[in-house]
Amino acid sequence: MIDRKDFVERFGGVFEHSPWIAERAFDSGRITGPLRSGEMHEALCNEFRAASHDERLGVLRAHPDLAGKLAVSGNLTRESKSEQAGAGLDRLTESEHARFTELNERYMADFGFPFIIAVKGLDKDDILRAFESRVANDPTTEFETACTQVERIAGLRIADLLPGDDT
């Protein structure tokens, strides 16, 4: 069995800049060996879902803008940088970057957190279409959609941390 410190070091970044989720999952006794991606994802998501609205909002706000200032300055987490690059967001044309910037600003003004989408398997056009569609959502719908996307991102990150586990 993995100890708490090692567990939080390994899985604390699964939810962007929110190690408290891994800490709570470990402290609750939900983490038992052997570590399997399905069970790990469920345990961490249960803690995220049980968190207060403000705590979940904090997780959403910890995510970077897609193709935003952090990406341009090179200050994304390793996971976010890899995910955005995999979708081609590091290779936008000037006009595409301008459109993402415009949507990022509108979205943040409307919802108070950045647009979040699990980009794996998507390209920049898929992401742009989703962005343009979701910016029209009402705040409650978009909060829940963003939370679902955060959980999907966590699942993908867990799968990367537990290679060979197909559960």
Side-chain angles (χ1 to χ4, degrees), residues 13-144:
V14 166
F15 283 82
E16 193 89 7
H17 297 294
S18 302
W20 60 267
I21 295 171
E23 291 167 350
R24 288 181 187 176
F26 189 92
D27 293 345
S28 73
R30 295 178 197 252
I31 306 304
T32 58
L35 300 178
R36 297 198 170 281
S37 62
E39 291 91 353
M40 178 69 63
H41 186 242
E42 188 62 28
L44 295 176
C45 286
N46 282 339
E47 294 303 329
F48 176 64
R49 292 175 196 142
S52 71
H53 180 274
D54 286 346
E55 288 172 319
R56 291 190 304 149
L57 180 60
V59 172
L60 300 182
R61 288 180 173 161
H63 279 261
D65 290 341
L66 291 178
K69 294 174 194 154
L70 288 177
V72 171
S73 67
N75 289 320
L76 294 174
T77 63
R78 180 179 44 84
E79 296 87 358
S80 288
K81 181 178 181 178
S82 174
E83 291 159 359
Q84 289 197 29
L89 296 179
D90 61 339
R91 298 177 301 278
L92 297 176
T93 66
E94 197 172 307
S95 63
E96 289 168 335
H97 188 268
R99 181 66 177 141
F100 270 92
T101 299
E102 174 190 336
L103 286 167
N104 278 326
E105 290 171 359
R106 178 177 165 199
Y107 188 96
M108 183 62 88
D110 289 351
F111 301 112
F113 53 87
F115 176 76
I116 301 166
I117 189 168
V119 299
K120 187 171 185 170
L122 303 177
D123 64 23
K124 61 187 176 181
D125 295 323
D126 298 325
I127 296 164
L128 189 57
R129 279 190 296 277
F131 210 154
E132 289 171 337
S133 171
R134 285 177 45 195
V135 77
N137 282 344
D138 66 88
T140 300
T141 298
E142 193 52 30
F143 181 85
E144 291 306 319

